[in-house]
């Protein structure tokens, strides 16, 4: 297994801990919204850079627009 294969366990532990700490403070909807947005932003960066031996996928205008809408949605959920 490559060195980065172990990052999944550390990320999962951090996510579960963070989720249990955040839900009482900011609510379930915001926590889930931020989780999805973070996953999409991270995966777009991984695609754009071609990390982890994956093919490179350029960030096009439609993809950037979608990421921007996710960020706006997360902010809207949090501010309401």
């Amino acid at each position: 297994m490559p060195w980065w294969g172990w990052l999944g366990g550390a990320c999962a532990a951090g996510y579960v801990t963070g989720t249990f700490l955040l839900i009482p403070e900011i609510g379930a909807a915001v926590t889930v919204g931020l989780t999805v947005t973070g996953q999409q932003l991270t995966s777009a960066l991984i695609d754009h850079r071609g990390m982890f031996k994956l093919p490179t996928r350029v960030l096009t205008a439609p993809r950037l627009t979608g990421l921007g809408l996710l960020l706006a949605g997360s902010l809207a959920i949090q501010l309401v």
Side-chain angles (χ1 to χ4, degrees):
M1 176 181 300
W3 66 269
W4 49 264
W6 296 99
L7 292 176
C11 289
Y15 169 74
V16 170
T17 303
T19 298
F20 282 116
L21 293 174
L22 283 176
I23 285 179
E25 298 295 322
I26 64 175
V30 177
T31 303
V32 171
L34 291 173
T35 298
V36 171
T37 302
Q39 289 172 342
Q40 291 297 316
L41 290 171
T42 303
S43 63
L45 176 68
I46 290 170
D47 278 348
H48 181 68
R49 303 263 179 170
M51 299 166 75
F52 307 116
K53 298 181 183 178
L54 294 171
T56 302
R57 292 183 177 90
V58 180
L59 281 174
T60 60
R63 292 182 81 193
L64 286 172
T65 302
L67 292 171
L69 289 171
L70 277 170
L71 283 171
S74 292
L75 288 174
I77 292 170
Q78 189 169 11
L79 297 175
V80 173

